[in-house]
Amino acid sequence: MDTKAFRPSEGSCIISEEVIATIASTAALEIPGVASMANRPADIRGFIGSGASRSVRVINNENVTILDVYINLSVGAKIQEVASAVQRGVKVAVQSMTGKPVTKVNVHIVGLDLDNNK
């Protein structure tokens, strides 16, 4: 008798967008040159959500995960280098922790953190 034919489904794992946003926010803050997370343009989720969901927008379908990350840079940071590092770091962190393929990471530089220079 083939036991594989009678194996019941093990179920599914649903990861909330809030968790994905927290992972992405934490990964972005670890990149040198990122001073802080910035607020994204207002929408209803931005008013309700926590700090991470205010800084990261997650579009999560079965096959597609797109992240929009909003950051403030430290004074003297090179925009292109920091943005590329954020894209790589966020993509690796989210994919390794969730197992979901990240198709795109859009980095939005909102401002400079001048207080970080002191």
Side-chain angles (χ1 to χ4, degrees), residues 11 18 30 36 47 51 63-64 69 71 76 87 93 95 97-98 101 112 116:
E18 181 71 26
E30 292 177 355
S36 62
F47 291 122
N63 300 328
V64 176
V69 181
I71 60 173
Q87 285 176 323
Q95 286 183 159
M97 292 183 80
T98 65
L112 293 175
N116 203 16

Side-chain angles (χ1 to χ4, degrees), residues 16-17 20-21 24 40 45 55-70 87 90-91 94-95 98 100-108:
S16 74
E17 291 179 0
I20 295 171
R40 63 187 171 103
R45 287 187 185 175
S55 301
V56 179
R57 187 175 122 220
V58 179
I59 299 172
N60 190 20
N61 297 329
E62 287 182 22
N63 300 328
V64 176
T65 301
I66 299 172
L67 304 171
D68 285 297
V69 181
Y70 296 83
Q87 285 176 323
V90 167
K91 182 175 182 174
V94 171
Q95 286 183 159
T98 65
K100 295 178 145 294
V102 175
T103 54
K104 192 183 288 189
V105 178
N106 300 314
V107 178
H108 302 269

Side-chain angles (χ1 to χ4, degrees), residues 21-81:
T22 302
I23 294 167
S25 178
T26 303
L29 287 171
E30 292 177 355
I31 304 298
V34 176
S36 62
M37 300 304 289
N39 288 332
R40 63 187 171 103
D43 63 358
I44 192 67
R45 287 187 185 175
F47 291 122
I48 297 172
S50 69
S53 65
R54 290 187 190 130
S55 301
V56 179
R57 187 175 122 220
V58 179
I59 299 172
N60 190 20
N61 297 329
E62 287 182 22
N63 300 328
V64 176
T65 301
I66 299 172
L67 304 171
D68 285 297
V69 181
Y70 296 83
I71 60 173
N72 292 316
L73 293 181
S74 301
V75 174
K78 295 184 179 181
I79 294 172
Q80 186 64 38
E81 290 176 10

